[in-house]
Amino acid sequence: MKKFPYKFTPLIKTLFCLFFILAIGVIGFNVYKFATAEFHDNYSYVTLISCLAIGALTIVIVSSMLFNSYFGINDKFLVLRWGILCNKIELNSITKLQKHEQNDKLLVYYNLSDQEEFMVVFIDKLIFDDFSNQLLLKCPEISVEIVVD
């Protein structure tokens, strides 16, 4: 499968970093609290374990989004992998590619049941053509439009 990395905006990258730092802070604070405080009831242990689990889960989700987000093209599907989430679109349902020159967007139109849907592909504009060519190689009946706004 040919993979094309997802392009995150600087704002999203900043938010991911903030979530990561916050999760590490939550884990660190709760480990410190556990090491220095005395617990007298089960509620304190449940709170501590919950905070540690939420912090660890946040780190796993943010890391998977940063390092495992891509668009993939195989023989049957266009795959959008965004961290732990995965969406597959059958190649034979794709009808059109529309490239917007002004704002560097690539829209993929496809038929889902009886409605035409579209998905915005956020990849680096330097690999737009490679992505389009790879998709057209697998499914040559797709029409291509270039929109100059």
Side-chain angles (χ1 to χ4, degrees):
M1 173 176 9
K2 179 85 172 171
K3 294 181 182 179
F4 300 90
Y6 192 88
K7 182 182 176 186
F8 290 106
T9 63
L11 175 64
I12 297 297
K13 287 181 182 178
T14 303
L15 288 174
F16 282 163
C17 289
L18 288 175
F19 285 141
F20 195 79
I21 291 168
L22 183 64
I24 289 173
V26 165
I27 291 172
F29 174 75
N30 281 292
V31 167
Y32 172 76
K33 186 176 171 184
F34 178 73
T36 59
E38 292 182 22
F39 294 105
H40 299 290
D41 59 355
N42 288 338
Y43 178 74
S44 298
Y45 288 112
V46 171
T47 304
L48 175 72
I49 291 170
S50 298
C51 288
L52 291 174
I54 289 170
L57 185 63
T58 301
I59 289 172
V60 167
I61 290 172
V62 168
S63 298
S64 72
M65 285 182 184
L66 278 174
F67 302 116
N68 196 26
S69 295
Y70 62 86
F71 293 95
I73 301 172
N74 63 23
D75 291 334
K76 294 184 180 182
F77 297 103
L78 169 63
V79 178
L80 165 60
R81 186 83 161 156
W82 202 62
I84 58 175
L85 304 175
C86 183
N87 187 14
K88 293 181 179 181
I89 299 170
E90 289 185 24
L91 290 179
N92 59 8
S93 70
I94 297 174
T95 58
K96 178 173 57 172
L97 290 177
Q98 192 175 64
K99 182 178 178 183
H100 290 259
E101 293 283 334
Q102 176 113 7
N103 53 11
D104 295 329
K105 284 186 185 176
L106 184 65
L107 279 72
V108 177
Y109 287 86
Y110 58 96
N111 290 326
L112 186 62
S113 54
D114 288 333
Q115 293 180 313
E116 186 173 60
E117 303 280 333
F118 71 91
M119 170 178 61
V120 180
V121 176
F122 291 104
I123 55 176
D124 193 355
K125 65 181 178 181
L126 299 175
I127 57 175
F128 269 179
D129 292 334
D130 189 24
F131 178 82
S132 301
N133 291 338
Q134 196 64 230
L135 202 53
L136 288 170
L137 185 67
K138 300 286 183 182
C139 199
E141 64 272 2
I142 298 172
S143 66
V144 178
E145 290 181 16
I146 297 176
V147 177
V148 180
D149 297 330

